[in-house]
Amino acid sequence: MDSEAHHQLHAFFFPFMAYGHMIPTVDIARLFAAHRVKVTIILTPLNAPIFSKTIERDRSSGLDIHIQILQFPAIEAGLPEGIENVEVLTSPEMVPKFFVAIKMLQEPLEHLMEEHHPDFIIADMFLPFATEAAGKFGIPLLIFHGTNFFYQCVQESLKCHKPYKGVTSDSETFVVPGLPDKIEMTRLQFTNDFKVETEFNTKLMDQMRDAELKSFGVLVNSFYELEPAYAEHYKNVMGRRAWHIGPVSLRNRDTIDKVQRGKKASIDEHYVLNWLDTKEPNSVLYICFGSMSRISRSQLYEMAMGLEDSGFSFVWVVRTLKDEEVERFLPEGFEERMEGKGLIIRDWAPQVLILDHPAVGGFMTHCGWNSILEGVTAGVPMITWPMFAEQFYNENLVTQVLKIGIQVGVEESNSWIETKDVSVKKEKIGNVVTQLMGDGEEAEEMRRKVKELSEKAKRAVEEGGSSYEDLNALIEELKMCRKPSP
């Protein structure tokens, strides 16, 4: 006991500057703090206030958790002042500059390490320089991918076996070999590192892969019961060290935690909950495409028409570009006709709170991993509408492996920073909404399966559960690696 008090484990957490990465990283940091680890979260000036209230609440409850600010060198990297988050990048040309700014954080990170002497670091996969920094100080570094075991296994198979070389067109289906399930893909669904081999992409991917191989291991926001065959494949076939500790969103148990998770909601949570209280159980479709997805005016118009034609109630989170108004994209009189039937939220919504409401019976999602895991945890089946990054892979997990969702029919991955015109027409949208929200056998079976997974998710994070035990085992191993006090 005395020795533990003498040298409590101290962890640095360094998230990538995107909401889909920062939010789960902060949840993981709070998990470690709840397991009596001293935690320092490294954030930039404009990102820190988003999490400060949550961290202050944790501190007042007795957790040893802090935020450390690092200045973000936007101007030095050739970016406009105030650019500290990928969500606000406005052109593809800004992306490499953003990563130049990130690399410039290595030296200030090392100064912090020299000052605070952390025992280990947990850093995002997009910060490969952190592995080098940890190596200089002789401490373990764990990488947080922000996605699942399934994606890692599929990506590795594609790199090793290159099954896409044998197809005659980008739209021809091929089977990804060597996996526990028969997974079919097309080249149109690939992540950018496969589709566009630029010098920037290739170099970044090589650095990330090298950093992972040199790391202590990987933290995965998933739970064993969700994808057991892929957790085993990742560890035993690919030979990687990994710990599943999710769903980390379940760290947010109180309404205030759910409301203040991420940016401030643009609507009062009581208004949303009161509106949902007027609806029957499983009667409302929740629609949200994450913090980075950008959707064209014409596609928003088709979505609105498809939702209206379906006749089902909905909560629709619409994020527009710059200062454009939502009303400009909607059919004339749409909001008047949908009064009481549909609720439109502009910009940011308390997603976990909404998904947990009994009235919500379906989730139309862009297939970001946080959203899928939050949908699973809430026990809500999905309509999958992937857009970019690993989202098509996640769609395959939801629809081909877990069988808890229906594809809307998007065929091609897109650049997250640029919009396409129309991928899915209103007729298809209306039909798929009706298929998921109706009382057909297929929809009922999906609801049954996802409810079972929801129960398993909640058990996984409780004492004795698979994620709880994996986290405990990791902390014990890190204690064994701890360097003697200076």
Side-chain angles (χ1 to χ4, degrees), residues 321-351:
L321 301 179
K322 300 175 184 173
D323 300 320
E324 294 177 312
E325 291 294 321
V326 171
E327 289 77 6
R328 291 175 57 193
F329 309 146
L330 299 176
E332 191 173 345
F334 176 78
E335 289 197 84
E336 290 78 8
R337 293 193 301 276
M338 292 297 102
E339 190 170 347
K341 190 84 175 174
L343 180 63
I344 293 177
I345 300 175
R346 291 149 179 82
D347 192 35
W348 194 271
Q351 180 161 295

Side-chain angles (χ1 to χ4, degrees), residues 154-263:
V154 172
Q155 192 81 332
E156 184 72 8
S157 175
L158 291 174
K159 282 177 182 169
C160 292
H161 301 293
K162 298 181 171 49
Y164 51 88
K165 295 285 188 184
V167 297
T168 56
S169 72
D170 286 347
S171 58
E172 184 182 338
T173 301
F174 62 86
V175 174
V176 183
L179 297 176
D181 296 285
K182 182 183 178 183
I183 303 301
E184 296 182 324
M185 293 188 71
T186 69
R187 289 199 302 229
L188 290 174
Q189 301 172 333
F190 280 175
T191 52
N192 259 2
D193 51 310
F194 277 117
K195 290 174 75 172
V196 186
E197 291 192 12
T198 64
E199 184 183 351
F200 166 71
N201 274 346
T202 303
K203 186 178 179 183
L204 179 61
M205 290 300 150
D206 286 347
Q207 288 172 343
M208 286 163 54
R209 188 177 175 82
D210 185 54
E212 181 179 331
L213 292 173
K214 290 177 179 174
S215 73
F216 190 77
V218 173
L219 277 187
V220 183
N221 181 17
S222 186
F223 58 103
Y224 184 82
E225 294 80 1
L226 182 66
E227 43 174 349
Y230 294 92
E232 295 294 339
H233 185 93
Y234 188 76
K235 295 172 187 176
N236 299 328
V237 178
M238 290 171 57
R240 309 288 171 84
R241 284 164 56 81
W243 293 265
H244 48 80
I245 60 167
V248 299
S249 60
L250 285 172
R251 173 66 196 159
N252 302 277
R253 298 177 186 274
D254 300 332
T255 298
I256 191 165
D257 273 346
K258 294 175 184 178
V259 169
Q260 292 184 354
R261 189 168 178 258
K263 285 202 298 185

Side-chain angles (χ1 to χ4, degrees), residues 19-180:
Y19 292 112
H21 292 248
M22 289 189 293
I23 290 171
T25 301
V26 169
D27 280 341
I28 293 169
R30 297 172 66 219
L31 270 178
F32 273 79
H35 281 71
R36 299 183 181 178
V37 174
K38 179 181 178 180
V39 164
T40 300
I41 306 168
I42 300 168
L43 296 168
T44 64
L46 295 181
N47 290 314
I50 297 161
F51 303 98
S52 57
K53 286 184 180 177
T54 299
I55 300 308
E56 283 166 18
R57 269 200 316 280
D58 280 350
R59 283 172 57 77
S60 66
S61 72
L63 299 187
D64 195 350
I65 186 167
H66 316 264
I67 291 174
Q68 181 73 47
I69 305 290
L70 280 189
Q71 297 300 317
F72 191 78
I75 294 172
E76 295 90 325
L79 291 167
E81 187 175 359
I83 299 287
E84 294 184 17
N85 192 306
V86 293
E87 189 191 51
V88 295
L89 301 183
T90 54
S91 72
E93 293 73 32
M94 295 174 81
V95 177
K97 293 177 181 178
F98 193 80
F99 278 89
V100 167
I102 284 172
K103 180 68 175 82
M104 292 165 72
L105 294 172
Q106 180 170 347
E107 189 176 330
L109 170 64
E110 291 175 2
H111 288 319
L112 275 183
M113 292 168 69
E114 207 162 12
E115 182 182 346
H116 294 278
H117 305 289
D119 295 298
F120 63 97
I121 302 180
I122 292 172
D124 194 278
M125 64 177 182
F126 284 122
L127 311 175
F129 65 82
T131 303
E132 184 183 329
K136 287 182 182 178
F137 290 85
I139 62 172
L141 178 133
L142 289 119
I143 288 176
F144 176 57
H145 276 293
T147 187
N148 47 55
F149 287 109
F150 176 82
Y151 163 71
Q152 303 298 332
C153 296
V154 172
Q155 192 81 332
E156 184 72 8
S157 175
L158 291 174
K159 282 177 182 169
C160 292
H161 301 293
K162 298 181 171 49
Y164 51 88
K165 295 285 188 184
V167 297
T168 56
S169 72
D170 286 347
S171 58
E172 184 182 338
T173 301
F174 62 86
V175 174
V176 183
L179 297 176

Side-chain angles (χ1 to χ4, degrees), residues 147-150 181 220-232 244 246-248 369-377 382 394 397-398 400-404 449-458 460 466-467:
T147 187
N148 47 55
F149 287 109
F150 176 82
D181 296 285
V220 183
N221 181 17
S222 186
F223 58 103
Y224 184 82
E225 294 80 1
L226 182 66
E227 43 174 349
Y230 294 92
E232 295 294 339
H244 48 80
V248 299
W369 182 239
N370 295 321
S371 289
I372 286 177
L373 205 51
E374 288 158 17
V376 167
T377 304
M382 290 163 241
N394 294 340
L397 176 63
V398 169
Q400 293 187 37
V401 179
L402 301 174
K403 295 181 169 55
I404 55 170
K449 285 179 177 175
V450 77
K451 293 290 183 191
E452 283 181 6
L453 288 172
S454 171
E455 292 306 313
K456 289 176 180 178
K458 289 162 186 167
S466 57
S467 293

Side-chain angles (χ1 to χ4, degrees), residues 31 34-35 222-223 244-247 253 457-475:
L31 270 178
H35 281 71
S222 186
F223 58 103
H244 48 80
I245 60 167
R253 298 177 186 274
K458 289 162 186 167
R459 285 198 296 271
V461 300
E462 298 296 336
E463 190 168 351
S466 57
S467 293
Y468 185 96
E469 292 302 315
D470 236 25
L471 178 57
N472 263 353
L474 172 60
I475 290 171

